[in-house]
Amino acid sequence: MTDQREVAIVRWPGQAPSAQDGLADLLAAYHLQTQAEKGEAVAGVAGLPKRYRVEVADPQAAFVDDVVLLALSGDTAVGCLVVTASVDGRSEIKRLWTDPAFRGRGIASNLVSAALVHAAESGVSAVRLSVWKWRAGAIALYERLGFTSTESWDDRDQLFCMERAV
């Protein structure tokens, strides 16, 4: 049976430092699932591309200039999202992930909404993101939250780019 307690969104680092291990687990799950969806499944974190292994091994160093939002159920990290530092007045949302056992509770929506609040507090004019074209549910979520399609800044095939004014 899954835990039905309320889920809180916190900024990390700064709050909930004990959740670092949970963040690494969420990032590992995100990257492993993404590799599998791209048809490049690997057996474990050691098989991920180096840039992703670095994030999993030391999230605090990997995201030193960024803000990580964690969804916590008690002391357990059940969702995450990274908001990058502003570049040219824009931030980027990356690594949105909810533990599959906690999906369907609005955690992803709450993480994105918290990211938009953070962006507004930071004075950025827009938030952008990229999402794999096959992730229809994620695209629908972003559209419900006001993101629209924009010209791609990334040349990877099958990547869909979106943006929203803050």
Side-chain angles (χ1 to χ4, degrees):
M1 180 118 179
T2 58
D3 189 342
Q4 296 295 323
R5 289 181 285 184
E6 185 173 325
V7 174
I9 307 295
V10 299
R11 292 182 187 180
W12 178 90
Q15 297 179 15
S18 64
Q20 181 171 352
D21 290 339
L23 175 58
D25 291 343
L26 291 169
L27 290 167
Y30 170 87
H31 288 303
L32 291 168
Q33 179 65 35
T34 300
Q35 287 300 113
E37 290 173 0
K38 290 191 294 188
E40 302 169 6
V42 296
V45 172
L48 291 170
K50 182 179 180 181
R51 67 184 181 276
Y52 301 142
R53 288 193 317 266
V54 167
E55 289 180 15
V56 173
D58 191 354
Q60 191 166 9
F63 302 117
V64 68
D65 294 325
D66 306 323
V67 169
V68 177
L69 300 175
L70 281 176
L72 299 176
S73 177
D75 290 333
T76 303
V78 297
C80 65
L81 178 149
V82 175
V83 183
T84 65
S86 176
V87 174
D88 297 327
R90 286 189 246 167
S91 289
E92 187 172 349
I93 290 175
K94 302 172 17 172
R95 310 299 184 256
L96 175 60
W97 182 257
T98 302
D99 180 322
F102 286 83
R103 291 189 181 159
R105 299 184 194 185
I107 292 170
S109 295
N110 288 337
L111 283 164
V112 174
S113 295
L116 294 170
V117 168
H118 169 74
E121 291 170 352
S122 300
V124 301
S125 60
V127 174
R128 65 186 194 170
L129 58 86
S130 59
V131 58
W132 296 107
K133 289 180 180 180
W134 60 79
R135 289 187 171 161
I139 292 169
L141 166 70
Y142 297 136
E143 288 173 339
R144 280 193 307 273
L145 295 173
F147 287 83
T148 58
S149 175
T150 190
E151 187 175 326
S152 180
W153 59 87
D154 191 312
D155 62 358
R156 289 180 286 173
D157 190 37
Q158 298 295 311
L159 207 55
F160 184 63
C161 294
M162 304 180 83
E163 188 169 79
R164 180 200 147 141
V166 177

